[in-house]
Protein backbone atom coordinates (compact mmCIF):
# COMPACT_ATOMS: atom_id res chain seq x y z
CA UNK A 1 0.00 0.00 0.00
CA UNK A 2 1.09 3.59 -0.49
CA UNK A 3 0.67 6.32 2.09
CA UNK A 4 0.72 9.42 -0.10
CA UNK A 5 1.40 12.77 1.54
CA UNK A 6 0.74 15.34 -1.18
CA UNK A 7 0.82 19.13 -1.35
CA UNK A 8 -2.73 20.51 -1.61
CA UNK A 9 -3.58 21.81 -5.07
CA UNK A 10 -4.13 25.42 -4.00
CA UNK A 11 -1.17 25.58 -1.59
CA UNK A 12 2.25 27.13 -1.90
CA UNK A 13 5.33 24.98 -1.47
CA UNK A 14 7.23 24.73 1.82
CA UNK A 15 10.94 24.56 2.57
CA UNK A 16 13.04 21.42 2.18
CA UNK A 17 13.67 21.25 5.94
CA UNK A 18 9.92 21.35 6.60
CA UNK A 19 9.41 18.57 4.06
CA UNK A 20 12.09 16.47 5.77
CA UNK A 21 10.43 17.03 9.16
CA UNK A 22 7.07 15.90 7.77
CA UNK A 23 8.64 12.77 6.24
CA UNK A 24 10.35 11.81 9.48
CA UNK A 25 7.16 12.41 11.48
CA UNK A 26 5.15 10.24 9.06
CA UNK A 27 7.79 7.51 9.28
CA UNK A 28 7.54 7.57 13.07
CA UNK A 29 3.73 7.52 13.01
CA UNK A 30 3.74 4.51 10.67
CA UNK A 31 6.18 2.65 12.94
CA UNK A 32 4.20 3.48 16.08
CA UNK A 33 0.84 2.52 14.59
CA UNK A 34 2.26 -0.74 13.25
CA UNK A 35 3.66 -1.63 16.67
CA UNK A 36 0.34 -0.91 18.35
CA UNK A 37 -1.92 -2.50 15.74
CA UNK A 38 0.03 -5.53 14.51
CA UNK A 39 3.24 -5.97 16.50
CA UNK A 40 4.72 -7.61 13.40
CA UNK A 41 7.40 -6.77 10.85
CA UNK A 42 6.93 -3.92 8.41
CA UNK A 43 8.92 -2.61 5.44
CA UNK A 44 8.70 1.06 4.48
CA UNK A 45 10.29 2.63 1.42
CA UNK A 46 10.23 6.35 0.72
CA UNK A 47 8.24 6.94 -2.44
CA UNK A 48 10.52 7.84 -5.31
CA UNK A 49 9.33 11.25 -6.44
CA UNK A 50 11.66 13.30 -8.59
CA UNK A 51 9.86 16.55 -7.76
CA UNK A 52 9.66 15.60 -4.04
CA UNK A 53 5.97 16.49 -4.01
CA UNK A 54 4.89 13.18 -2.47
CA UNK A 55 6.34 12.84 1.02
CA UNK A 56 4.78 9.43 1.63
CA UNK A 57 5.94 5.84 1.87
CA UNK A 58 5.33 2.51 0.23
CA UNK A 59 4.35 0.21 3.10
CA UNK A 60 4.46 -3.59 3.17
CA UNK A 61 2.97 -5.27 6.22
CA UNK A 62 4.06 -8.74 7.27
CA UNK A 63 2.24 -11.62 5.54
CA UNK A 64 1.37 -12.76 9.07
CA UNK A 65 -0.90 -9.72 9.56
CA UNK A 66 -4.59 -10.64 9.60
CA UNK A 67 -7.20 -8.71 7.62
CA UNK A 68 -8.53 -7.27 10.89
CA UNK A 69 -5.05 -6.08 11.93
CA UNK A 70 -4.47 -4.64 8.47
CA UNK A 71 -7.71 -2.64 8.54
CA UNK A 72 -6.90 -1.47 12.08
CA UNK A 73 -3.47 -0.31 10.91
CA UNK A 74 -4.91 1.55 7.92
CA UNK A 75 -7.62 3.28 9.96
CA UNK A 76 -5.30 4.29 12.79
CA UNK A 77 -2.54 5.48 10.42
CA UNK A 78 -5.03 7.56 8.49
CA UNK A 79 -6.39 9.19 11.66
CA UNK A 80 -3.00 9.86 13.26
CA UNK A 81 -1.23 11.24 10.19
CA UNK A 82 -4.21 13.34 9.08
CA UNK A 83 -4.49 14.82 12.56
CA UNK A 84 -0.76 15.59 12.60
CA UNK A 85 -0.95 17.38 9.24
CA UNK A 86 -3.98 19.37 10.36
CA UNK A 87 -2.48 20.37 13.73
CA UNK A 88 0.87 21.27 12.16
CA UNK A 89 -1.02 23.51 9.73
CA UNK A 90 1.02 22.34 6.76
CA UNK A 91 -0.48 22.43 3.26
CA UNK A 92 -0.40 18.65 2.81
CA UNK A 93 -3.07 15.98 2.75
CA UNK A 94 -2.89 12.22 3.04
CA UNK A 95 -4.28 9.46 0.88
CA UNK A 96 -3.89 5.71 1.38
CA UNK A 97 -3.83 3.59 -1.77
CA UNK A 98 -4.30 -0.09 -0.90
Amino acid sequence: MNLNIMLKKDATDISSSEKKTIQIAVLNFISLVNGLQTGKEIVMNKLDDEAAENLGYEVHLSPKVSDEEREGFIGQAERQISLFLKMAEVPYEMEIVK
Side-chain angles (χ1 to χ4, degrees):
M1 87 185 76
N2 284 354
L3 293 168
N4 297 320
I5 310 295
M6 301 291 294
L7 189 65
K8 293 179 181 177
K9 290 180 178 30
D10 59 345
T12 57
D13 204 6
I14 62 174
S15 73
S16 62
S17 65
E18 290 172 316
K19 288 179 182 180
K20 189 69 162 176
T21 300
I22 292 168
Q23 269 189 317
I24 292 168
V26 169
L27 179 69
N28 285 315
F29 277 117
I30 295 169
S31 298
L32 175 65
V33 169
N34 179 64
L36 294 171
Q37 292 293 321
T38 75
K40 297 180 177 76
E41 301 86 10
I42 189 171
V43 174
M44 297 173 282
N45 297 311
K46 184 176 158 267
L47 290 171
D48 187 25
D49 185 359
E50 296 282 329
E53 290 182 17
N54 189 344
L55 305 181
Y57 289 88
E58 180 181 6
V59 177
H60 300 278
L61 297 174
S62 169
K64 300 173 189 173
V65 171
S66 69
D67 289 341
E68 184 177 316
E69 290 172 323
R70 180 182 175 82
E71 291 306 313
F73 169 83
I74 291 170
Q76 189 67 21
E78 190 167 34
R79 284 187 296 279
Q80 294 293 324
I81 296 169
S82 293
L83 182 60
F84 160 72
L85 294 171
K86 183 177 180 178
M87 290 179 70
E89 297 180 357
V90 293
Y92 282 82
E93 56 193 357
M94 187 186 77
E95 169 191 49
I96 296 179
V97 180
K98 298 177 188 178

